């Protein structure tokens, strides 16, 4: 195991860990998700305002329809002319058509808001997952940084079929690459070689 009297410089270990975490941190995905949520909330607010306007228009139509019905009843009770009754009937039918159109528009807006709400929930879930992944990644990087400071070994995770990495001497500012093929070296021999590298 080498010289057991060798001591770890804690300040260097902390500094190296912080440098590595800062280098590996990437917030682009979280920023994109935050922008999506902000756009979704703005669009939802706009749709709610549109619904209120449509409902107000529907109420106006209903008021006009009721007024037309009242006029028609009054006209009939006063034995109004057929022409006046026909005019009132046409006005009533026009208002009924407008009310149907507004109700269809309201249904479309409600469906759009429901879809936006589903998207917002999905984005929130993705954001939470992304945040958890980011925290896990930071923890893993801190562990890796600590192991690297203690053992001087920085493993490479690019190739799952080979054991490789770098041996770093920060004081000497040297880097030595290593690579082993686990199919050609036994696990015991592999461990012994790695320990020898660490003890150098």
């Amino acid at each position: 195991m080498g010289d057991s009297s060798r001591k770890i410089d804690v300040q260097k270990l902390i500094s190296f860990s912080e440098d590595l975490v800062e280098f590996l941190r990437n917030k682009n995905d979280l920023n994109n998700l935050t922008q999506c949520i902000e756009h979704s909330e703005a669009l939802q607010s706009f749709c709610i305002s549109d619904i209120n306007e449509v409902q107000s228009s529907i109420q106006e139509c209903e008021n006009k329809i009721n007024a037309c019905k009242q006029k028609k009843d009054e006209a009939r009770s006063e034995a109004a002319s057929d022409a006046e009754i026909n005019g009132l009937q046409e006005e009533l039918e026009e208002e009924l058509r407008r009310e149907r159109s507004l109700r269809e528009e309201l249904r479309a807006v409600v469906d759009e808001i429901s879809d936006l709400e589903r998207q917002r929930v999905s984005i929130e879930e993705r954001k939470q997952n992304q945040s958890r992944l980011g925290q896990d990644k930071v923890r893993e990087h801190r562990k890796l940084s600590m192991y690297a400071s203690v053992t001087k070994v920085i493993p490479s995770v690019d190739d799952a079929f080979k054991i490789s990495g770098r041996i770093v001497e920060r004081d000497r500012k040297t880097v030595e690459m290593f690579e082993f093929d686990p199919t050609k070296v036994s696990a015991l021999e592999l461990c012994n070689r790695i320990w020898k590298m660490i003890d150098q």
Side-chain angles (χ1 to χ4, degrees):
M1 289 292 296
D3 185 8
S4 61
S5 64
R6 183 178 10 161
K7 295 182 179 177
I8 298 170
D9 188 334
V10 176
Q11 290 300 324
K12 286 184 179 180
L13 174 61
I14 292 172
S15 174
F16 185 72
S17 300
E18 289 174 350
D19 290 346
L20 183 60
V21 168
E22 188 63 31
F23 176 75
L24 296 173
R25 186 177 293 151
N26 184 350
K27 291 187 176 177
N28 286 339
D29 289 338
L30 278 175
N31 289 339
N32 289 337
L33 287 174
T34 301
Q35 288 178 0
C36 286
I37 289 174
E38 289 173 354
H39 292 159
S40 173
E41 289 174 349
L43 188 55
Q44 186 176 13
S45 175
F46 174 77
C47 289
I48 289 172
S49 174
D50 201 6
I51 280 180
N52 291 335
E53 290 180 9
V54 171
Q55 286 177 332
S56 176
S57 297
I58 288 174
Q59 185 62 45
E60 287 180 15
C61 285
E62 288 177 346
N63 292 340
K64 288 182 180 180
I65 288 169
N66 291 334
C68 287
K69 287 179 179 177
Q70 186 176 358
K71 286 180 183 179
K72 187 173 77 169
D73 293 339
E74 289 173 358
R76 281 183 178 164
S77 66
E78 294 173 1
S81 66
D82 291 340
E84 187 179 351
I85 291 174
N86 290 337
L88 289 171
Q89 184 65 34
E90 288 174 6
E91 187 179 345
L92 175 61
E93 289 171 0
E94 179 62 29
E95 290 299 329
L96 287 171
R97 279 193 295 271
R98 188 168 174 226
E99 182 188 20
R100 282 194 297 271
S101 174
L102 288 171
R103 286 191 182 279
E104 288 173 5
E105 185 179 343
L106 177 62
R107 274 195 297 274
V109 171
V110 168
D111 291 342
E112 188 175 351
I113 286 180
S114 297
D115 186 51
L116 284 172
E117 180 62 20
R118 284 191 294 270
Q119 290 180 23
R120 186 191 66 76
V121 170
S122 174
I123 289 171
E124 283 289 348
E125 290 173 353
R126 285 174 54 199
K127 184 177 178 182
Q128 290 172 0
N129 291 337
Q130 191 72 25
S131 177
R132 280 195 294 270
L133 287 174
Q135 291 171 358
D136 292 344
K137 191 174 181 181
V138 168
R139 278 195 294 271
E140 290 302 318
H141 287 312
R142 284 180 178 166
K143 274 203 255 180
L144 180 62
S145 177
M146 184 188 68
Y147 297 155
S149 295
V150 173
T151 65
K152 302 182 296 183
V153 175
I154 299 177
S156 174
V157 293
D158 296 334
D159 190 347
F161 300 102
K162 289 184 179 179
I163 296 174
S164 61
R166 292 170 291 172
I167 298 176
V168 180
E169 285 283 354
R170 292 188 73 184
D171 295 337
R172 298 180 192 168
K173 297 182 179 177
T174 59
V175 177
E176 181 182 347
M177 306 293 292
F178 69 87
E179 182 178 299
F180 299 110
D181 187 346
T183 61
K184 297 179 180 176
V185 182
S186 70
L188 179 61
E189 178 64 21
L190 193 56
C191 286
N192 287 334
R193 289 187 187 182
I194 292 173
W195 278 119
K196 284 179 183 177
M197 288 188 297
I198 293 172
D199 288 339
Q200 287 179 356

